[in-house]
């Protein structure tokens, strides 16, 4: 019996060592996980801390909840606020924030009366973390390798920059994948931040994650739909965080996302080259950044994207990519499912397209 236990323990130890030593890119890449549904089977809300946490909804919890901050006694690994939509008009109570970390651990948090959620659960560290400034160069490996590419020293697991995860938000049956897979982050001076920093609202100063189930407007006319009054507000409130003009890439934060591995290996353009904030599409020129992270004079990167017109079919409105990609039972979409064919927003968009998808 004892012998078996010892064998088991050493086997387990071997497996752990093997996992730590073998670098598996597919274990964590935004491309590889682009179409993954939210994980199931875990205990919902299992990773919430106890206590009230009813203050400062929408603010960056990390300003106080960090090492050396005013709330250092409550050092979260992740925290934030959950809203119904990007305008952050109303919060989601009892929504679920699901994180899957680098090791495949599932962390589940439930939002409270003010939409706040938080956890103290450890987030696995990516030994091959690359530090960068918001996905821009310079890309500096935080790990040490020998000439053969063997890992000599992993990135410091105590640094929250190395904690990597992927996130989904669930609100009843609806779930929404969150595109960003940045590390938990901050810097040595600012060692914790929160979801509220990045997933910012549009109309509201505060940030926050959002997952909308309801329709954008409470009602739509049966005919005579308008782009300005009806279609655009839907696209703005549901599609804007991803389908925007300009650069829209997940940040470079692990070894295989470095340019020498092909920038696209783990990085994705989360707009898919589609800008739904403009009718005819957009071309945006942004200054190119040098190795020091500063703009190079007179050098630009150009991002050209198709617009709403490029994904509508006025002869068969239901067959429009805009609807097929987003309706329940339609084609696979990295942004997830937004409605079914009896949802008000869906019917309004379909009608607007059938009426010629005019820029009215
Ligand atoms: C302006 C500073 C500040 C911000 C911003 C802030 N907190 Fe706090 N928080 C505190 C302080 C101070 C405490 C009490 C610490 C102590 O008891 O030592 C606290 C305590 C807590 C607690 C412990 C239980 C309780 O209610 O006392 C939770 C949970 C919490 N905060 C959640 C959050 C969340 C979630 C956010 C972001 C939406 C957030 N906090 C933003 C300052 C802040
Ligand atoms: C979380 C990010 C995200 C959100 C939100 C999102 N999408 Fe997407 N979408 C993507 C990504 C990434 C792609 C490219 C991969 C794919 O085709 O699924 C894409 C692709 C598409 C395409 C295909 C483009 C093409 O040229 O073939 C359409 C159409 C589309 N999305 C429509 C929408 C609409 C309409 C909404 C809002 C109701 C929306 N998306 C919300 C991420 C998102």
């Amino acid at each position: 019996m004892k012998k078996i236990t010892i064998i088991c323990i050493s086997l387990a130890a071997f497996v752990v060592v093997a996992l730590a030593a073998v670098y598996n890119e597919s274990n964590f890449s935004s491309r590889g996980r682009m179409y993954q549904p939210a994980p199931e089977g875990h205990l919902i809300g299992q990773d919430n801390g106890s206590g009230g946490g009813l203050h400062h909804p929408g603010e960056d919890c990390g300003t106080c909840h960090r090492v050396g901050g005013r709330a250092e006694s409550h050092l979260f690994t992740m925290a934030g606020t959950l809203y119904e939509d990007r305008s952050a008009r109303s919060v989601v109570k009892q929504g679920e924030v699901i994180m899957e970390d680098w090791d495949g651990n599932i962390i589940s948090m439930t939002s409270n009366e003010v939409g706040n959620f938080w956890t103290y659960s450890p987030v696995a560290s990516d030994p091959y973390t690359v530090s960068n400034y918001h996905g821009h160069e310079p890309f500096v490996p935080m790990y040490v390798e020998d000439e053969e590419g063997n890992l000599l020293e992993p990135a410091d697991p105590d640094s929250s920059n190395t904690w990597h995860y992927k996130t989904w938000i669930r609100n009843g049956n609806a779930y929404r994948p969150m595109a960003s897979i940045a590390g938990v982050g901050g810097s040595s001076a600012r060692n914790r931040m929160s979801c509220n920093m990045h997933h910012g609202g549009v109309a509201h100063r505060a940030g926050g994650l959002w997952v909308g189930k309801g329709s954008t407007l409470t009602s739509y006319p049966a005919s005579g739909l308008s782009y300005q009054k009806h279609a655009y507000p839907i696209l703005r409130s549901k599609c804007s965080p991803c389908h925007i003009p300009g650069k829209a890439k997940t940040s470079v934060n692990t070894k295989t996302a470095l340019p020498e591995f092909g920038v696209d290996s783990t990085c994705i353009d989360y707009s898919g080259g589609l800008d739904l904030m403009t009718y005819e599409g957009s071309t945006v020129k942004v200054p190119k950044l040098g190795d020091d992270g500063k703009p190079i004079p007179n050098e630009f990167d150009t991002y050209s994207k198709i617009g709403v017109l490029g994904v509508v079919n006025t002869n068969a409105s239901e067959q429009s990519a805009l609807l097929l990609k987003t309706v329940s039972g339609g084609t696979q979409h990295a942004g997830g499912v937004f409605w079914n064919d009896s949802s008000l927003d869906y019917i309004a968009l379909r009608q607007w397209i059938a009426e010629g998808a005019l820029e009215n």
Side-chain angles (χ1 to χ4, degrees), residues 75 79 94 161 178 195 213 228 304 312:
L75 211 49
Q94 299 295 304
N161 280 309
M178 291 286 134
C195 311
K213 271 203 303 184
Q228 306 293 351
S304 291
V312 293

Side-chain angles (χ1 to χ4, degrees), residues 35 177 239 242-243 270 272 274 276 321-322 325-326 333-335 338-339:
Y35 302 112
C239 324
C242 299
H243 295 292
Y270 54 81
L274 172 64
L276 291 176
L322 181 97
K325 270 285 192 181
T326 48
H333 176 218
F338 284 78
W339 32 55

Side-chain angles (χ1 to χ4, degrees), residues 84-123:
E84 276 284 350
D85 56 27
R86 276 203 97 201
S87 62
R89 277 175 303 204
S90 52
V91 298
V92 173
K93 302 167 192 177
Q94 299 295 304
E96 188 192 5
V97 179
I98 310 169
M99 289 163 64
E100 182 174 6
D101 74 11
W102 175 267
D103 283 350
N105 304 311
I106 306 296
I107 295 173
S108 164
M109 297 166 266
T110 310
S111 57
N112 67 13
E113 298 103 283
V114 300
N116 278 353
F117 60 87
W118 62 90
T119 185
Y120 301 91
S121 299
V123 180

Side-chain angles (χ1 to χ4, degrees), residues 12 24 30 39 41 88 91 95 107 111 118 161-162 227 231 278 315 320 333:
N24 177 4
S30 32
V91 298
I107 295 173
S111 57
W118 62 90
N161 280 309
T162 74
Y227 172 67
T278 53
N315 296 321
S320 301
H333 176 218

